Amino acid sequence: MLKTEVIDSIVDELFLAEKHGKAIPKLVDRYPGLNVDLAYEVQNRLIERKCRDEGTKVAGWKLGLTSKAKQEMMGVHEPAYGVLLENMQLQSDGSISLRTLIHPKIEPEIAFIFKEELKGPGVTVAEVLQKTDYIAPALEIIDSRYQHFSFTLADVIADNSSSSRFILGERFAKYNREDLSLVGMVFKKNGAIVSTSAGASVMGHPARAVAWMVNKLSRYGQSVKPGEVVLSGALTGAIEIEEGDVFSVSLDRFGSVEASFTFGKGE
Ligand code: OOG
Ligand code: MG
C-alpha cells in the first residue's frame, strides 16, 4: 500500500473505533512500518477528520507518558503528545455520562494556559514559564481505542495519545512564578486518597514536558496559541472509572476540581 493509503485506512479505523465505541487490535502488528513519525502524520489527519465530521476545533494539547508512574504502567518509556478538541471538554457540574466510551480511565494533571504563542524549535523551560498565564488542576479521561488498553509508542500516538475528555478547575489561578516542580497534588476517589504526588513527577518539572512538546510540534509547523490549554501528563497512574465514582484532584495553591461519573444516560 502507498503511504497515503496506509494513513487513510488507519485514520478510518481509529475514527470508527471511537465513534462506535468498539476497540480494535493494535496497529503495529498489522502495519510493521508504523513508526513515530508516521504515527504523528496519522494523528494530524485524524484530528482534521474529527474537526470536519464533528464540527469542532482545537482547544489545546496534552502530553502523555511524562511520569515514571505512567510509563511503567503502560510499558512505554517515552512521552507522547496529542490534541485536545473543544468537544472533549466537560464541565464538572452534574453527573458526567461516559456511556459512549470503551474503557475509560482517569488521571490527575496540571493544566497550563498561555498568554503568548509558544513556537519551537529552541523553546526552553524559562520561556514556557514566562508565557504561562494561568495554572489549573485538571482531570483527564483517557480511553484507548485499542483492545485491552495495549499499545506501543507509535500505536498510542496514532490514537491521539488516548485523548478522550478533560475537565478543568473552574477557577484558573494566575501563574506567579511559583516553583511548579514543588506543587503538591492529592488525587481522591470517593473521598479517599488514591495517590499523592508533586509537579516534579512530570519529567522533573512540568514545564519541561511542555517545552519538549512545543519543540516537537515545530516539525509540523505547529505551535501552542494564546489561550490554548496544555495538560502536563498525569502525575500518577491512571485508574478505571466505575458507576457513580467521584474523583477530585487538588493542587497546592492552584485549587481543585471534582467530578462524578455515570455510565447511564446522565444529563
Ligand atoms: C496514553 C496517554 C497517557 C498521560 O497523562 O500519561 C496520558 C495512555 O496511557 O493511554 O494521557
Ligand atoms: Mg493524561
Side-chain angles (χ1 to χ4, degrees):
M1 267 200 275
L2 293 170
K3 186 174 151 192
T4 52
E5 288 171 8
V6 170
I7 293 177
D8 283 349
S9 83
I10 297 176
V11 166
D12 225 51
E13 264 199 71
L14 288 166
F15 181 81
L16 294 173
E18 178 172 3
K19 185 168 175 187
H20 298 139
K22 205 163 168 349
I24 57 169
K26 62 180 171 217
L27 301 163
V28 283
D29 302 335
R30 293 176 288 134
Y31 299 93
L34 185 71
N35 58 26
V36 165
D37 288 334
L38 194 56
Y40 277 115
E41 284 188 51
V42 171
Q43 185 189 113
N44 287 337
R45 295 286 300 281
L46 179 62
I47 294 305
E48 280 167 24
R49 167 98 180 254
K50 283 170 73 70
C51 286
R52 197 177 60 235
D53 285 35
E54 298 170 8
T56 188
K57 54 188 205 283
V58 174
W61 307 84
K62 60 149 293 175
L63 282 126
L65 308 166
T66 49
S67 62
K68 269 271 164 308
K70 280 287 315 198
Q71 292 185 349
E72 271 160 22
M73 183 175 184
M74 306 318 293
V76 176
H77 297 275
E78 278 171 74
Y81 63 82
V83 180
L84 299 173
L85 298 173
E86 281 183 354
N87 66 357
M88 296 177 182
Q89 184 167 4
L90 302 175
Q91 301 307 318
S92 55
D93 49 337
S95 188
I96 293 172
S97 173
L98 301 178
R99 77 184 189 290
T100 57
L101 305 191
I102 302 168
H103 36 206
K105 294 185 194 174
I106 189 160
E107 312 179 312
E109 308 227 0
I110 297 174
F112 289 74
I113 295 97
F114 293 95
K115 56 188 169 201
E116 283 173 62
E117 186 183 29
L118 272 170
K119 196 171 172 60
V123 168
T124 59
V125 168
E127 183 178 344
V128 170
L129 294 175
Q130 190 228 316
K131 293 184 172 174
T132 299
D133 206 0
Y134 299 101
I135 294 290
L139 290 167
E140 186 189 17
I141 293 150
I142 51 171
D143 192 26
S144 177
R145 267 57 66 170
Y146 300 117
Q147 292 167 352
H148 318 297
F149 236 104
S150 160
F151 46 70
T152 65
L153 181 63
D155 286 300
V156 73
I157 289 167
D159 186 28
N160 195 24
S161 294
S162 307
S163 300
S164 177
R165 305 283 187 270
F166 66 100
I167 305 157
L168 300 179
E170 266 167 35
R171 286 197 303 128
F172 296 176
K174 196 86 185 159
Y175 175 63
N176 219 352
R177 310 208 68 78
E178 293 87 351
D179 184 345
L180 297 177
S181 70
L182 296 179
V183 169
M185 186 286 295
V186 180
F187 183 38
K188 287 186 183 169
K189 171 182 172 173
N190 302 328
I193 294 174
V194 176
S195 54
T196 57
S197 186
S201 63
V202 173
M203 293 172 74
H205 193 303
R208 187 164 298 130
V210 179
W212 174 84
M213 181 189 75
V214 170
N215 291 326
K216 293 279 182 200
L217 284 177
S218 69
R219 293 174 307 171
Y220 302 100
Q222 294 168 317
S223 61
V224 175
K225 303 281 180 339
E228 285 186 349
V229 43
V230 177
L231 300 183
S232 65
L235 280 71
T236 68
I239 62 172
E240 278 169 25
I241 308 170
E242 284 159 37
E243 178 62 35
D245 278 346
V246 179
F247 286 93
S248 70
V249 53
S250 303
L251 294 180
D252 183 23
R253 285 164 290 164
F254 295 102
S256 51
V257 57
E258 179 178 277
S260 59
F261 299 95
T262 173
F263 290 86
K265 272 199 165 324
E267 284 152 49

